[in-house]
Amino acid sequence: MLFSMFFGAGNLIFPPMIGASAGEAFTPAMAGFLVGGVALPIVAIVAIAFSGSDLSDLSRRAGRLFGVLFPVAIYLAIGPFFGLPRMGAVAYSTSFVPLTSHDSLLSAVIFSAVFFSVSVALAWNPRTIIQSLGKVLTPTLLIFLAILIVRSVQVLNGTPSAAQDDYAIRPISAGILSGYLTMDSVAALAFGIIVVDTLRANGAVRRRHLIPQTITAAFIAGAFLSVVYIGLGLIGRSIPNSSHYTDGAALLIDAAAQSLGPTGAFVFSMTVLAACLTTAVGLLAACSEFFHRMLPVIGYHVWLVGFAVVAFSFSIHGLPTLLSIAGPLIGFLYPIAITLITVALVGAVVNRWTKLPVTFRMAVGVAVVWSAATTLAGLGFGTDWLTPVLHTVPLHEMSLGWVVPVAAAAMLGLVIDLIQAGKGRNEG
């Protein structure tokens, strides 16, 4: 179930382009991608398991106000305002249109209406998602992926090209950045609520059972993701003239046609459709469950239908419109999310001494300030003074400029927390 919720259309497209762009540097580039696109999401799920039951429990450790605002922003961003409509738009443009050759406003409306209606039906009972996704749709998705990957690797015999751009200079870090940009770590924070609730519904009520089972589920999902990513990457590495591709979807469409003939278009379209549908179901259920807990007076099903309607409305406007609206918000939230996950895991290690209140507040506070500054700079504010300042910080060119200042703040906060904890033990 967890694998299928993670594996959306973006996850299908990124790895082939890594294979095509990295070429001879495929191994270190893919290793980096697995760190950013698999390890970080697994860590996020584990952080949720240790912190409580959902993102709110984790976020409150950085302050009450932050514990409300941040989860709301995360769920709205990856749910009805971007993630959900993106699934509908990608499924239409990459699955329906190539297969049927129909592309009009009416066909987009009809397709999106059917897509989100099916998603609502599958997410209607969040306790049974493990049945609909884990036991039905995920095997279907894996079958299509296996056909596409195995046949493509057997048939395609292109020579790996020379590594391009950053993959030629620093393939590992370039791969990490690509994995980081899948934004699955943010999605993992949202999916945690479904994982925990599903395990509880299946008997893992106590914490000593819940934590190891959540960790096991996360690692199984990570193993599936790793195998599929490597396979998709090999397609990009093996297709003839791989260096000429700039779009992962176009690359996979050509690979399917070359390796599967006339049935290739069908296999690729069904793979995209299954990937988008499973992720949409997970996002709908997670968002609806979260807001139902936050405002119990409004039922889960009301949230579910409402979010589906909002996502449907946005999806028919196409991907460019969605990206222009949600891109800055996602960019703002992502460093904060990674900071929260990292500090939570550090807290799990030193929990016997202190709960790290200062560390949480300092690290998250710096992440919020940095994200706000980079978002404003990206929107064109402060180009004469803010942008030059940001460029002086290490890793800024890789969209990781927040790492150094946040790490410094976290280290300082950790020292303060440990000193205060030591004083408390001495006084006790």
Side-chain angles (χ1 to χ4, degrees):
M1 177 191 75
L2 185 57
F3 161 80
S4 66
M5 290 195 298
F6 275 131
F7 194 82
N11 308 72
L12 183 67
I13 293 170
F14 267 111
M17 284 309 302
I18 291 176
S21 300
E24 296 172 347
F26 174 79
T27 300
M30 182 54 64
F33 182 78
L34 295 182
V35 170
V38 177
L40 280 178
I42 289 176
V43 166
I45 293 291
V46 173
I48 291 291
F50 275 109
S51 65
S53 62
D54 57 30
L55 178 55
S56 292
D57 290 338
L58 178 58
S59 301
R60 275 194 292 268
R61 298 178 69 176
R64 288 187 178 182
L65 183 61
F66 180 83
V68 174
L69 296 180
F70 181 70
V72 168
I74 285 288
Y75 277 101
L76 290 179
I78 69 166
F81 290 161
F82 178 64
L84 278 168
R86 179 176 180 239
M87 291 302 104
V90 169
Y92 173 74
S93 62
T94 312
S95 175
F96 178 82
V97 173
L99 192 62
T100 64
S101 299
H102 289 292
D103 185 12
S104 66
L105 179 60
L106 178 60
S107 62
V109 170
I110 294 174
F111 177 88
S112 294
V114 173
F115 179 87
F116 287 109
S117 296
V118 173
S119 299
V120 167
L122 292 173
W124 194 255
N125 185 349
R127 306 296 178 269
T128 62
I129 287 181
I130 195 171
Q131 307 295 328
S132 57
L133 293 191
K135 295 185 178 180
V136 180
L137 284 178
T138 300
T140 303
L141 173 60
L142 286 172
I143 288 171
F144 282 118
L145 283 169
I147 293 172
L148 178 62
I149 292 172
V150 172
R151 187 60 181 162
S152 295
V153 172
Q154 287 177 340
V155 172
L156 301 178
N157 56 4
T159 303
S161 61
Q164 304 173 41
D165 303 323
D166 286 345
Y167 291 103
I169 304 170
R170 40 178 184 270
I172 295 179
S173 59
I176 292 175
L177 181 59
S178 294
Y180 168 86
L181 293 176
T182 64
M183 298 193 175
D184 276 346
S185 298
V186 174
L189 292 175
F191 290 150
I193 191 173
I194 297 298
V195 174
V196 171
D197 283 356
T198 301
L199 289 174
R200 281 178 173 162
N202 285 272
V205 179
R206 296 184 178 181
R207 182 178 173 85
R208 61 189 178 89
H209 296 139
L210 186 63
I211 290 178
Q213 288 190 26
T214 303
I215 293 173
T216 300
F219 274 88
I220 291 174
F224 274 112
L225 286 170
S226 298
V227 171
V228 171
Y229 286 157
I230 292 172
L232 291 171
L234 288 173
I235 293 177
R237 183 174 183 266
S238 304
I239 193 169
N241 301 314
S242 58
S243 60
H244 294 161
Y245 288 95
T246 58
D247 176 19
L251 188 155
L252 286 178
I253 289 173
D254 286 352
Q258 293 177 32
S259 59
L260 295 169
T263 62
F266 174 79
V267 171
F268 176 74
S269 294
M270 291 301 100
T271 302
V272 172
L273 183 60
C276 291
L277 185 61
T278 53
T279 301
V281 171
L283 288 173
L284 270 173
C287 292
S288 303
E289 186 74 13
F290 170 78
F291 280 97
H292 174 54
R293 286 188 184 183
M294 187 176 179
L295 296 171
V297 68
I298 302 177
Y300 168 84
H301 296 116
V302 176
W303 288 112
L304 183 68
V305 174
F307 287 144
V309 170
V310 173
F312 162 77
S313 301
F314 278 115
S315 69
I316 60 179
H317 292 291
L319 283 176
T321 302
L322 293 175
L323 291 172
S324 65
I325 296 173
L329 177 59
I330 297 292
F332 171 76
L333 294 173
Y334 206 68
I336 305 171
I338 300 295
T339 299
L340 198 61
I341 294 167
T342 305
V343 178
L345 289 177
V346 174
V349 174
V350 302
N351 189 50
R352 57 181 296 186
W353 297 295
T354 176
K355 292 186 177 180
L356 306 183
V358 179
T359 308
F360 268 95
R361 284 173 170 80
M362 289 186 65
V364 170
V366 171
V368 169
V369 171
W370 180 270
S371 288
T374 52
T375 300
L376 289 174
L379 293 174
F381 294 97
T383 54
D384 54 340
W385 63 273
L386 183 57
T387 302
V389 171
L390 294 176
H391 278 276
T392 62
V393 179
L395 304 179
H396 178 73
E397 297 297 330
M398 298 175 60
S399 301
L400 296 172
W402 57 273
V403 171
V404 173
V406 167
M411 291 298 296
L412 179 59
L414 181 61
V415 170
I416 295 173
D417 277 324
L418 293 178
I419 291 174
Q420 291 180 346
K423 289 181 179 179
R425 288 197 302 271
N426 293 333
E427 292 174 359

